[in-house]
Amino acid sequence: MNPLQPPELLAHVAEYFGANEADSASRVCRAWNSAFSPVIWELVHINDKALTNEHATQGLVRNASHCRCLIYDDVSYVSQLPVPPCTELTHIVINNTNMSMSPEDTDLTENWDQLTKLVQDNPHLRTVCIAAGPGTPTTTAFWASLTSCTQVRLIGVHLTPEHVRALWEGCKNVQQFSADSTHLIDTTKFYAEAQDTFTHLKQLDSSLVSDVDAVTEAQNFLTKCPNLTQFTMECTRPSSQQALAILTTVLKQGYLPLLEKLTLTFIVSDSELSSCLRVMGLIKCLNVQSTSFGSLAFSSLVPHFAALERLQWTHCEFVSGEMIQTVLESCPGLRVLSATKIEAALIQKGRPWVCLRLRTLIVCVVVEGRETQGGQKEEEDRACEQSRAMFRKLRQLTELEVLKIGMAHRQREPTHVQGLDLRLKSGMGQLAGLRKLRVLDHTGTEQNMGVEDLTG
């Protein structure tokens, strides 16, 4: 060993290398190969190319001890390659690219038996993601083996009630559980088969509430999750109203005292959403999509302003500029705000913003001008002054990393809409003081400018 290249130093250097750079460095000598191999084999992605690459297959077997994340592009690959003798895995991802086959036509029992053994051989396994259709385990052993996992994500998996029963039995210690577009023989069985109390569960993402019976079982399941802090609910009509109602009922009964992050991705009325927000003990993060969020829901959200850290309004057409301005003026701990549109005139006349910790701001800023006897000059001055007011507020957000300010055209007679004035004389240069800013997006803004408008 070269005294100028101790293993500890090489290992430290390797932490700053990507997989491609580490692969090149590992070819220098045996010492470097030993130091950089953990970086190369930390994440292994088994796809169709790996099936024909004998060198890669042999390398995986030799370096299995370095592997922490193992990804299969198709569950059928498990039987086509030797399962690596990994014992330190923390993540396993199983995809299934062959979606054309039905479960009856697919017998992958041997594959899933091998995966079951792999899970059992890795006591440090924490995350399992199954994104599959027909390639679903034909036995319950795999689901029952997930006892060490704290995060389980299912995407499009075809489950029988027996599988669900084994899944909940194996996931007693799970902290994050997500089920997206998962196919069940009987949707009511998914939550009904959960018999235990899930004291470790903190995050639940579910799109399985598809009918009234399933809603009832979901209500019973929520009462078994006393430490749940984050809940994402997605459902379709006609159960959307019942879904929010059961959440409100569970909250009223005091079963979810720690819930502080809520995402709703379905259509509900303003009054129903207001009722739910009123009974939540604390709201740090709220993400509502395609809802009729209006004045009633906003009034119920006001008491939570001091704790609010993340607020996302997506496709919420009833969210007004006044609501957005009020949030910016009243939420000191806000980190993320994504909303619809706000008039620059409101910003110009409004109080100072208090959300100085804001890191992401996504909102459409509308600058309006009006035809008067002063003609184009007065209109331009108005837009310029409103833009200056906006940039003065933005320059105070020194923690800002992502800024997206598009333009929404609203045609009204006799007024017309202009986008934010991007010339330096209108204050654009003040953004130079935002040292942490890495994304600046003015999508939809069109403006003719000369060289003098872009240089100081």
Side-chain angles (χ1 to χ4, degrees):
M1 171 64 67
N2 189 328
L4 299 180
Q5 297 178 358
E8 296 81 6
L9 179 59
L10 286 175
H12 180 70
V13 172
E15 294 178 359
Y16 297 91
F17 277 50
N20 292 333
E21 294 83 359
D23 182 56
S24 299
S26 68
R27 303 172 190 271
V28 173
C29 63
R30 290 184 178 180
W32 282 40
N33 182 274
S34 177
F36 289 97
S37 287
V39 178
I40 301 172
W41 298 99
E42 182 178 17
L43 186 153
V44 175
H45 192 165
I46 299 179
N47 51 28
D48 53 353
K49 295 181 180 179
L51 298 179
T52 58
N53 191 331
E54 185 177 352
H55 172 73
T57 303
Q58 295 175 352
L60 175 57
V61 173
R62 290 196 307 270
N63 294 277
S65 61
H66 301 312
C67 187
R68 300 294 180 268
C69 179
L70 184 60
I71 302 174
Y72 281 98
D73 261 6
D74 196 300
V75 68
S76 63
Y77 296 164
V78 176
S79 61
Q80 298 181 46
L81 288 174
V83 175
C86 305
T87 57
E88 300 294 332
L89 286 175
T90 59
H91 293 68
I92 292 180
V93 178
I94 310 295
N95 297 316
N96 187 3
T97 57
N98 190 359
M99 294 295 183
S100 61
M101 300 177 66
S102 65
E104 293 77 12
D105 298 331
T106 310
D107 186 5
L108 298 172
T109 305
E110 180 183 352
N111 302 61
W112 288 100
D113 285 346
Q114 293 185 49
L115 286 172
T116 300
K117 184 178 184 306
L118 183 63
V119 170
Q120 295 170 341
D121 290 342
N122 286 269
H124 302 296
L125 188 65
R126 294 294 176 263
T127 301
V128 170
C129 178
I130 311 294
T136 305
T138 54
T139 65
T140 59
F142 177 80
W143 301 115
S145 67
L146 304 180
T147 54
S148 68
C149 296
T150 58
Q151 182 176 1
V152 175
R153 185 179 184 189
L154 310 179
I155 304 174
V157 179
H158 187 99
L159 295 174
T160 66
E162 290 75 18
H163 293 149
V164 174
R165 192 177 304 116
L167 170 66
W168 290 124
E169 183 68 22
C171 292
K172 291 180 180 180
N173 298 317
V174 70
Q175 297 179 13
Q176 300 179 36
F177 184 84
S178 174
D180 184 15
S181 300
T182 295
H183 306 287
L184 301 176
I185 301 299
D186 183 353
T187 57
T188 62
K189 295 296 185 182
F190 189 80
Y191 292 111
E193 295 294 345
Q195 302 297 324
D196 298 301
T197 298
F198 297 88
T199 56
H200 300 283
L201 187 61
K202 296 181 179 180
Q203 179 178 334
L204 176 63
D205 303 333
S206 177
S207 62
L208 296 177
V209 183
S210 57
D211 53 51
V212 176
D213 291 335
V215 167
T216 302
E217 295 299 338
Q219 178 177 348
N220 295 332
F221 179 81
L222 288 175
T223 63
K224 303 173 184 177
C225 307
N227 295 314
L228 194 68
T229 62
Q230 182 172 337
F231 184 33
T232 297
M233 180 182 287
E234 179 181 352
C235 62
T236 57
R237 290 182 180 275
S239 62
S240 59
Q241 294 181 351
Q242 292 91 338
L244 190 61
I246 67 106
L247 176 60
T248 303
T249 299
V250 170
L251 288 168
K252 284 182 178 179
Q253 294 173 348
Y255 281 108
L256 300 176
L258 303 181
L259 186 63
E260 59 186 22
K261 300 176 182 179
L262 179 63
T263 298
L264 303 174
T265 61
F266 50 91
I267 299 176
V268 294
S269 69
D270 186 26
S271 59
E272 291 169 339
L273 186 56
S274 175
S275 298
C276 182
L277 296 180
R278 278 202 307 269
V279 294
M280 282 190 67
L282 179 68
I283 301 178
K284 287 187 177 181
C285 301
L286 179 63
N287 183 355
V288 288
Q289 303 174 20
S290 303
T291 69
S292 299
F293 191 104
S295 58
L296 294 177
F298 187 77
S299 297
S300 299
L301 183 63
V302 170
H304 302 273
F305 276 178
L308 202 60
E309 297 178 358
R310 188 182 188 97
L311 179 58
Q312 294 173 273
W313 285 306
T314 305
H315 305 304
C316 298
E317 58 180 319
F318 299 110
V319 173
S320 65
E322 288 82 1
M323 294 180 186
I324 300 172
Q325 175 67 13
T326 302
V327 168
L328 292 168
E329 294 173 350
S330 311
C331 301
L334 198 64
R335 300 289 197 279
V336 176
L337 176 61
S338 177
T340 50
K341 60 179 179 291
I342 183 172
E343 293 77 10
L346 286 174
I347 298 173
Q348 184 180 17
K349 299 175 183 177
R351 294 177 298 168
W353 294 350
V354 300
C355 53
L356 302 183
R357 300 177 183 177
L358 200 64
R359 296 177 181 175
T360 299
L361 177 59
I362 303 174
V363 62
C364 177
V365 179
V366 178
V367 179
E368 294 189 355
R370 183 173 60 190
E371 293 286 0
T372 64
Q373 293 182 351
Q376 183 68 26
K377 180 63 168 62
E378 182 171 335
E379 178 186 335
E380 181 180 324
D381 290 343
R382 185 190 306 276
C384 185
E385 186 54 40
Q386 291 181 1
S387 298
R388 286 197 192 101
M390 179 66 185
F391 288 124
R392 282 196 297 269
K393 295 288 182 67
L394 288 174
R395 72 176 180 181
Q396 302 172 14
L397 308 179
T398 56
E399 299 296 317
L400 202 61
E401 298 176 4
V402 177
L403 175 60
K404 296 184 178 182
I405 308 177
M407 180 180 70
H409 294 276
R410 298 184 302 167
Q411 299 297 333
R412 289 203 311 255
E413 295 294 340
T415 61
H416 66 276
V417 176
Q418 298 183 127
L420 201 64
D421 194 329
L422 304 181
R423 294 175 297 176
L424 289 180
K425 76 172 187 178
S426 298
M428 180 70 174
Q430 297 185 58
L431 298 185
L434 303 180
R435 302 299 183 186
K436 297 184 179 181
L437 190 65
R438 53 183 177 82
V439 176
L440 177 59
D441 189 346
H442 287 274
T443 301
T445 298
E446 296 181 3
Q447 183 172 343
N448 293 325
M449 292 188 290
V451 176
E452 66 278 4
D453 297 320
L454 299 174
T455 57

